[in-house]
Amino acid sequence: MLGNEVYDNLEASAPGDGKFVTQCLGYGGMQDPLPEVSAMTSNTMYRAIAAYKLYIEYCPFGDLRDAIIRQREAREPFHEGFIWMVFEALAECAVAMDQSNIVHSDITTSNILLSNSDPERFKIWPVPKLSDFGSSRIIDGAARRRLTGHDEAMHPYFTPPELTRDDADFGWAVPGLYVTNKTNVWSIGLIICCLMRLQPQLPETVRIDDEPPRPIDRQLRFDILHQREIKKLQHSSANYSVELRKLVRSCVKYDPARRPSPKQLLKAVRRLMDGRVGGFDTYGRGFGRIPWNKKERLRGKLKDIWAVGTETDIRLRP
């Protein structure tokens, strides 16, 4: 389990930092055959294939995608301290993945879950956890050259230049690129940009699913020289620090050689976040609950709908 290996690396580096990834606590075989829809007849057939259920640790407060949507509906940018907190957590994960030569390949806003807050640090906000290592790969020679190991369903809205497919023939959008430890860095920069822009995915990355389709000249296109870089970094109502914006800009450079390495990124985040988190790294430590109306809290109700004793509508397949 590559996710558990990343957890072990985080814990070895600093006990307690394993909190930034979800652990796989066990697995079991699938008992029922999986459905398969025939493209020729639209009939649903069932076949038995090798598959497993994974049992992942429980994160009660949903994911970053839903948090962005709630914040956007409230028309309130995230506090910069929250963004630095997420940035640091993901940078630590990047370093831990680098230690085992792992590329995640599927870092999306839906794959960063929100768990119980840490009473000792950033108590006001839930802990972000990187999850879903199902598309992860060891960066060996073949994976580095994209010869094998990258056929899983990576989300097209979040793929870095090295892992972006051509819309027409599903080949690589740009030939000659290599998968490296900086591939994870680009993905992390995109996540932070989503937070700063209050968008669960950037509209310029949604190339084929818009109706009507987004004009090509308004898309992020790695195969077009002048459309390879993300131009807008923050929401029109936000005013994030120059330091934050510059660091994000460096992460999402098209050319991997111009991005920071995972270690460089973590070092920069820790240096630059000092004095820019509004004191919330220590706020609330040593006393009771954070006031419910504290304006810097995340918008919307962080409610555990699956807690014991709650009534949740569970819809089961017939």
Side-chain angles (χ1 to χ4, degrees), residues 214-252:
R214 190 176 182 85
I216 290 180
D217 61 356
R218 295 176 56 198
Q219 298 176 13
L220 182 67
R221 299 287 303 222
F222 301 124
D223 56 340
I224 300 176
L225 182 62
H226 300 295
Q227 293 177 223
R228 291 174 168 175
E229 305 283 350
I230 297 173
K231 296 178 174 59
K232 180 181 177 182
L233 291 183
Q234 65 178 352
H235 192 268
S236 58
S237 64
N239 186 27
Y240 295 118
S241 64
V242 173
E243 291 78 7
L244 176 59
R245 284 179 277 142
K246 283 185 175 180
L247 187 56
V248 173
R249 178 77 69 190
S250 71
C251 291
V252 293

Side-chain angles (χ1 to χ4, degrees), residues 33-274:
L34 297 179
E36 177 183 328
V37 178
S38 170
M40 298 294 294
T41 65
S42 298
N43 293 327
T44 300
M45 301 174 293
Y46 290 86
R47 61 173 180 160
I49 62 173
Y52 296 91
K53 291 181 179 178
L54 299 181
Y55 299 92
I56 307 297
E57 65 174 291
Y58 179 51
C59 297
F61 301 126
D63 56 45
L64 208 55
R65 182 182 188 278
D66 288 339
I68 293 172
I69 292 173
R70 291 193 298 267
Q71 207 77 17
R72 184 179 183 86
E73 289 174 346
R75 300 181 180 180
E76 293 184 25
F78 289 101
H79 189 277
E80 184 163 334
F82 175 75
I83 295 178
W84 281 114
M85 180 193 73
V86 176
F87 212 167
E88 183 185 31
L90 296 180
E92 288 201 39
C93 291
V95 171
M97 287 188 283
D98 190 26
Q99 290 172 349
S100 294
N101 215 23
I102 293 171
V103 60
H104 187 285
S105 302
D106 199 20
I107 300 178
T108 71
T109 51
S110 297
N111 282 340
I112 299 169
L113 307 184
L114 299 176
S115 190
N116 296 305
S117 62
D118 182 347
E120 296 300 317
R121 193 160 186 260
F122 293 110
K123 181 179 178 180
I124 190 172
W125 297 306
V127 170
K129 287 178 174 280
L130 181 60
S131 67
D132 195 352
F133 286 78
S135 297
S136 300
R137 285 291 179 267
I138 299 295
I139 309 175
D140 57 17
R144 180 176 181 272
R145 297 192 301 274
R146 306 185 299 184
L147 299 178
T148 185
H150 299 296
D151 297 330
E152 285 71 22
M154 295 173 286
H155 202 297
Y157 302 167
F158 294 91
T159 49
E162 304 92 296
L163 295 176
T164 296
R165 296 285 190 176
D166 183 90
D167 295 336
D169 61 10
F170 206 60
W172 298 113
V174 182
L177 297 180
Y178 295 95
V179 174
T180 70
N181 59 0
K182 294 184 178 181
T183 301
N184 290 325
V185 170
W186 191 96
S187 297
I188 291 169
L190 180 62
I191 295 298
I192 302 304
C193 188
C194 287
L195 289 173
M196 295 167 67
R197 285 176 53 171
L198 287 181
Q199 291 175 319
Q201 67 272 332
L202 302 190
E204 59 264 42
T205 66
V206 185
R207 293 185 293 273
I208 58 176
D209 293 340
D210 270 359
E211 189 59 46
R214 190 176 182 85
I216 290 180
D217 61 356
R218 295 176 56 198
Q219 298 176 13
L220 182 67
R221 299 287 303 222
F222 301 124
D223 56 340
I224 300 176
L225 182 62
H226 300 295
Q227 293 177 223
R228 291 174 168 175
E229 305 283 350
I230 297 173
K231 296 178 174 59
K232 180 181 177 182
L233 291 183
Q234 65 178 352
H235 192 268
S236 58
S237 64
N239 186 27
Y240 295 118
S241 64
V242 173
E243 291 78 7
L244 176 59
R245 284 179 277 142
K246 283 185 175 180
L247 187 56
V248 173
R249 178 77 69 190
S250 71
C251 291
V252 293
K253 290 292 184 183
Y254 167 80
D255 183 358
R258 300 178 64 192
R259 303 173 202 158
S261 70
K263 287 184 178 179
Q264 290 170 335
L265 175 60
L266 180 58
K267 183 177 179 180
V269 168
R270 287 177 169 168
R271 175 174 56 85
L272 295 173
M273 71 188 295
D274 186 33

